[in-house]
């Protein structure tokens, strides 16, 4: 099985987004014809993953440029679209970064009329998508160098093609190492409550033919204690200037465990996931989602009626626990904060 699943693509007049809520059992695309459609697929997590939502939002802005009615003020319309798209999810910096970049283009070209704004925003979205593809190829190559024959690699969430425009980040590195012929295996955390690991990463691992075992989130400790895994690599949604970073809930405990067991712990992300405006991870907004996602599983209630839940979607890993950050420029090593080309 080698068919590549595309997280999203532009059809020429709409954005087609793979409905990841239906994976792995059904492959269905959602047609987004307005920026509000794009907002909804990001908010509802039909599509997810920091780079993928950044690219989706860029196309959302391109759609917005075509939507304003003659009776509406086009500038105000674009400002509304900017605010709406940015509000879809707060943690991954790629979303705000991509919408701000598109918004600045819209402002710069506004005087030349809506047709020009629309062409420029579509060009921008295509560029962002192409850049993401290239950056992920570089991340994959640099990341693959971290792995050796015999490695058993622990990962969380989904950082593959589904989470990006193409190829993936942390998953891309694992995949590239395997493709180069390295004998590796993967331990993938199921990643409650959305089950990105069980539903998406397991699917991508099957497609890639990489040997792996799926474990529940609470099993990481025993796997490290028994030396069943010897390296950890994860993605990142926002990396602060000091190297602290937000990623899927459960990442922080993996980093603590890895340090206790003296295992290298890597993050992989494009430079578009860096937020050098903020000094430390404490300033990263952590999304909290509906408690229903924890109280239920696959649409079935699993907790007693009357139970309540806490549902932070991300946590922050302090830079002291990080062995390296893989980017399209290479692997940054501690001490972090001096972001010159590695
Ligand atoms: O809530 P999600 O599924 O959007 O969270 C995704 C992650 O945390 C990923 O690890 C991160 O976005 C990097 S994806 C290349």
């Amino acid at each position: 099985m080698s068919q590549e699943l595309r997280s999203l693509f532009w059809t020429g007049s709409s954005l087609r987004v793979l409905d990841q809520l239906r994976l792995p059992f059904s492959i269905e695309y959602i047609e987004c014809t307005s920026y509000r459609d794009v907002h909804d697929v990001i908010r509802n997590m039909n599509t997810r993953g920091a780079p993928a939502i950044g690219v989706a939002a860029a196309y959302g802005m391109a759609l917005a440029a075509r939507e304003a009615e003659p009776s509406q003020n086009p500038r105000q319309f674009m400002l509304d679209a900017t605010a709406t798209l940015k509000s879809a999810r707060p943690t991954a910096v790629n979303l705000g970064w991509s919408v701000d970049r598109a918004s600045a283009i819209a402002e710069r070209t506004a005087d030349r009329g809506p047709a020009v704004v629309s062409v420029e925003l579509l060009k921008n979205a295509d560029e962002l998508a192409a850049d993401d593809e290239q950056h992920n190829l570089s991340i994959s190559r640099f990341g693959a160098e971290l792995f050796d024959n015999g490695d058993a690699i622990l990962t969380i969430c989904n950082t593959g093609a589904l989470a990006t425009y193409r190829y993936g980040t942390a998953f891309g590195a694992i995949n590239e190492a395997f493709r180069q012929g390295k004998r590796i295996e993967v331990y993938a955390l199921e990643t409650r409550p959305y089950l990105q690991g069980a539903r998406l990463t397991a699917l991508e691992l099957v497609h890639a033919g990489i040997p792996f075992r799926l474990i529940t989130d609470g099993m990481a400790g025993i796997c490290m204690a028994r030396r069943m895994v010897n390296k950890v690599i994860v993605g990142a949604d926002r990396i602060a200037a000091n190297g602290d970073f937000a990623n899927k809930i459960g990442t922080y405990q993996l980093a603590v465990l890895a340090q206790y067991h003296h295992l290298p712990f890597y993050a992989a992300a494009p430079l578009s996931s860096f937020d050098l405006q903020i000094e430390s991870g404490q300033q990263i907004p952590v999304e909290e989602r509906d408690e229903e996602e924890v109280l239920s599983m696959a649409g079935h209630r699993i907790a007693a009626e009357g139970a309540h839940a806490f549902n932070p979607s991300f946590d922050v890993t302090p830079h002291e626990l990080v062995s390296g950050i893989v980017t399209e420029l290479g692997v940054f090593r501690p001490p972090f904060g001096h972001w010159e080309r590695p």
Side-chain angles (χ1 to χ4, degrees):
M1 237 196 310
S2 63
Q3 182 207 3
E4 187 192 358
L5 282 175
R6 299 299 302 268
S7 57
L8 52 93
F9 59 93
W10 180 250
T11 64
S13 56
S14 64
L15 182 67
R16 218 165 270 169
V17 171
L18 180 62
D19 187 355
Q20 298 190 27
L21 287 167
R22 294 183 183 273
L23 291 175
F25 302 113
S26 145
I27 297 176
E28 288 177 40
Y29 281 84
I30 299 172
E31 194 92 14
C32 296
T33 55
S34 70
Y35 79 82
R36 285 188 187 280
D37 288 347
V38 176
H39 165 272
D40 292 350
V41 292
I42 295 173
R43 174 77 206 128
N44 301 332
M45 292 178 68
N46 303 95
T47 190
R48 27 68 48 203
I53 64 178
V55 174
Y59 282 111
M61 288 293 281
L63 284 168
R66 302 168 169 208
E67 285 178 61
E69 302 286 341
S71 60
Q72 290 170 305
N73 175 335
R75 228 179 194 135
Q76 189 54 48
F77 192 88
M78 291 310 292
L79 288 175
D80 292 346
T82 301
T84 303
L85 282 165
K86 276 176 85 168
S87 73
R89 293 190 76 191
T91 301
V93 71
N94 309 59
L95 178 63
W97 171 81
S98 152
V99 175
D100 282 341
R101 172 173 142 148
S103 193
I105 294 171
E107 273 293 308
R108 250 196 337 267
T109 51
D111 291 344
R112 294 159 65 198
V116 174
V117 177
S118 159
V119 168
E120 290 302 318
L121 287 186
L122 190 55
K123 207 163 84 190
N124 169 64
D126 286 342
E127 259 170 39
L128 222 78
D131 283 354
D132 189 54
E133 186 170 330
Q134 284 313 308
H135 295 161
N136 293 339
L137 280 175
S138 300
I139 290 170
S140 301
R141 289 193 197 108
F142 286 122
E145 289 171 22
L146 301 170
F147 302 127
D148 304 301
N149 277 328
D151 277 352
I153 305 157
L154 189 79
T155 193
I156 187 170
C157 195
N158 172 262
T159 58
L162 293 168
T164 60
Y165 186 65
R166 267 187 109 175
Y167 303 123
T169 56
F171 184 93
I174 293 171
N175 197 24
E176 176 60 17
F178 181 72
R179 224 188 45 78
Q180 290 172 359
K182 292 184 182 169
R183 277 185 297 99
I184 55 166
E185 62 174 327
V186 173
Y187 282 76
L189 265 70
E190 67 168 354
T191 321
R192 275 276 285 153
Y194 183 96
L195 302 175
Q196 287 93 334
R199 297 190 307 100
L200 311 176
T201 300
L203 178 68
E204 292 192 317
L205 286 161
V206 169
H207 274 209
I210 301 172
F212 76 99
R213 284 207 264 184
L214 190 62
I215 57 173
T216 67
D217 300 349
M219 296 175 187
I222 192 170
C223 291
M224 291 191 198
R226 289 189 179 177
R227 296 280 161 204
M228 292 163 67
V229 297
N230 67 329
K231 283 174 190 165
V232 183
I233 189 164
V234 301
D237 288 82
R238 190 184 294 235
I239 302 169
N242 69 347
D244 295 353
F245 73 95
N247 190 49
K248 182 49 54 193
I249 190 71
T251 301
Y252 170 43
Q253 65 204 21
L254 291 183
V256 174
L257 274 170
Q259 185 168 76
Y260 182 78
H261 291 286
H262 308 293
L263 301 181
F265 177 92
Y266 301 105
L271 295 178
S272 56
S273 296
F274 282 69
D275 183 355
L276 301 182
Q277 317 275 19
I278 59 168
E279 245 149 62
S280 83
Q282 286 180 356
Q283 291 153 270
I284 299 178
V286 171
E287 175 182 13
E288 283 189 33
R289 296 186 62 85
D290 195 318
E291 64 171 5
E292 207 40 49
E293 292 178 355
V294 173
L295 298 170
S296 300
M297 203 163 171
H300 298 285
R301 176 92 186 185
I302 54 168
E305 288 306 327
H308 290 288
F310 173 48
N311 188 16
S313 200
F314 300 93
D315 57 26
V316 175
T317 298
H319 63 275
E320 295 91 341
L321 302 177
V322 183
S323 316
I325 303 179
V326 190
T327 72
E328 62 268 35
L329 297 185
V331 182
F332 289 97
R333 303 270 181 182
F336 300 115
H338 307 283
W339 302 107
E340 278 143 37
R341 204 180 179 103

